[in-house]
Amino acid sequence: MNGILCADMDNTIIYSYKRNIGENKLNVELYNGREISFISEKTHDLLKKVSEKMTIIPTSTRTEEQYKRIDLDIGIVPYALVCNGGVLLVNGKRDREWYLESLQMIRNSRPEMEKAQQILAGDSRRKFELRFLDELFIFTKCEKPEEVVEDLQAKLATKLVDVFHNGEKVYVVPVNLSKGMAVRRLRKRLQPAYIIAAGDSEFDVSMVEESDLGLVPAGFKKIYGNGSGRFKETVMEMEAGRLFSETLLEKCLVLCYRKLLRNVPIT
């Protein structure tokens, strides 16, 4: 097949109602009758153009239910990766073989996941229900999330699970359940000419490094480079001061016009 764009959704392609992305925007997600996520009109136009050149595969930490609330209005989306890559949707339906393989891949992390559940269940700083999403990873919300993460890292085998937070959200994720691993599996299954990946958070680090080209916001390397800012040369930061969704899609179009193939240097 032609090239693939594995694109994170939240804060990469779509934005919460809390984020000001200008007046020219379109609603893409309803929840309990409320408009909660938007894309800019320019992003929408660029998505349609990019989808004519390569296969766009939404690649999200969202659950299947949460992902299906999104409507990008760009036509058929044949593939989507949700639950941090643990679940593959093909034409909107869960691929059972992929999911079972995901469970098998993380089996060695299961005891640590159960231990994390026990610890968080009794943590007074937790202020949200404790979710073991599709038996793939743990999610909750906590007060003083940095302290909670430090405590969990001290008590868990970090060679088996990753523990981190995004704001007040706290996650415990098996090391083998990553977007990077999902990209590797996707490459083997679909054998695309090349894979471009775009993302903005810690969840996306492995994905942008595993792809042939990773597109990230300005400042990403410094934040997630373990203090060194070191990433592969194929990870590129987009310009600051503009909407990340627009800059990354514009870059994809430029690359398409250059007729890039896999293993051809991308600059």
Side-chain angles (χ1 to χ4, degrees):
M1 68 183 304
N2 292 327
I4 283 174
L5 169 61
C6 287
D8 174 53
M9 288 287 99
D10 295 278
N11 297 312
T12 296
I13 298 295
I14 70 175
Y15 296 90
S16 162
Y17 66 93
K18 298 176 183 179
R19 170 79 179 269
N20 181 12
I21 62 171
E23 295 182 0
N24 298 321
K25 60 185 180 181
L26 303 170
N27 174 246
V28 292
E29 181 181 12
L30 288 172
Y31 182 60
N32 292 334
R34 294 174 55 232
E35 296 182 341
I36 63 170
S37 295
F38 297 84
I39 58 173
S40 70
E41 290 183 357
K42 184 173 183 178
T43 297
H44 185 245
D45 290 339
L46 288 167
L47 277 172
K48 289 190 288 186
K49 291 177 181 177
V50 171
S51 67
E52 294 172 357
K53 304 292 183 180
M54 64 180 73
T55 301
I56 297 175
I57 301 182
T59 306
S60 178
T61 307
R62 286 182 176 227
T63 64
E64 180 178 349
E65 179 185 1
Q66 291 169 333
Y67 165 73
K68 286 184 174 179
R69 295 199 303 250
I70 300 171
D71 181 7
L72 296 174
D73 189 31
I74 58 171
I76 296 172
V77 179
Y79 301 99
L81 286 163
V82 296
C83 290
N84 215 44
V87 173
L88 173 68
L89 303 179
V90 181
N91 296 320
K93 296 183 179 180
R94 181 177 294 204
D95 186 301
R96 178 173 172 78
E97 180 183 349
W98 182 284
Y99 176 60
L100 292 177
E101 185 180 69
S102 297
L103 292 177
Q104 182 68 11
M105 286 169 49
I106 66 172
R107 67 188 185 283
N108 290 341
S109 298
R110 183 78 188 209
E112 292 303 297
M113 299 295 289
E114 293 173 351
K115 183 177 178 180
Q117 278 186 295
Q118 294 174 355
I119 295 170
L120 285 168
D123 196 316
S124 61
R125 294 165 295 188
R126 184 170 58 84
K127 62 177 186 178
F128 188 73
E129 64 188 61
L130 188 57
R131 296 179 179 176
F132 194 6
L133 298 168
D134 280 294
E135 298 189 358
L136 292 170
F137 66 95
I138 293 169
F139 163 79
T140 190
K141 296 179 183 179
C142 296
E143 297 175 353
K144 300 181 179 179
E146 291 184 3
E147 290 183 8
V148 173
V149 168
E150 289 178 3
D151 290 347
L152 285 169
Q153 288 174 334
K155 297 174 181 177
L156 300 173
T158 51
K159 65 179 181 179
L160 295 173
V161 294
D162 289 323
V163 186
F164 49 89
H165 74 96
N166 185 359
E168 64 182 2
K169 299 175 182 177
V170 173
Y171 300 88
V172 184
V173 184
V175 292
N176 286 339
L177 185 75
S178 69
K179 290 185 180 182
M181 178 61 74
V183 167
R184 194 178 306 171
R185 295 165 69 189
L186 205 61
R187 194 191 296 278
K188 182 178 180 181
R189 173 178 286 214
L190 301 180
Q191 298 184 354
Y194 57 85
I195 297 179
I196 300 173
D200 73 293
S201 75
E202 189 168 356
F203 279 110
D204 304 309
V205 170
S206 63
M207 177 173 73
V208 296
E209 292 220 295
E210 184 66 34
S211 61
D212 296 301
L213 175 67
L215 305 178
V216 298
F220 183 93
K221 293 182 181 182
K222 183 176 181 180
I223 295 172
Y224 299 113
N226 295 321
S228 67
R230 293 176 184 171
F231 276 82
K232 292 181 179 178
E233 292 182 358
T234 52
V235 178
M236 298 175 57
E237 290 189 353
M238 299 294 94
E239 63 184 282
R242 295 186 57 203
L243 208 57
F244 178 45
S245 60
E246 296 175 1
T247 57
L248 78 89
L249 291 169
E250 287 173 349
K251 174 62 73 174
C252 286
L253 284 179
V254 169
L255 297 173
C256 288
Y257 292 140
R258 292 180 185 175
K259 298 181 179 179
L260 291 171
L261 297 175
R262 189 178 172 188
N263 297 326
V264 174
I266 300 172
T267 57

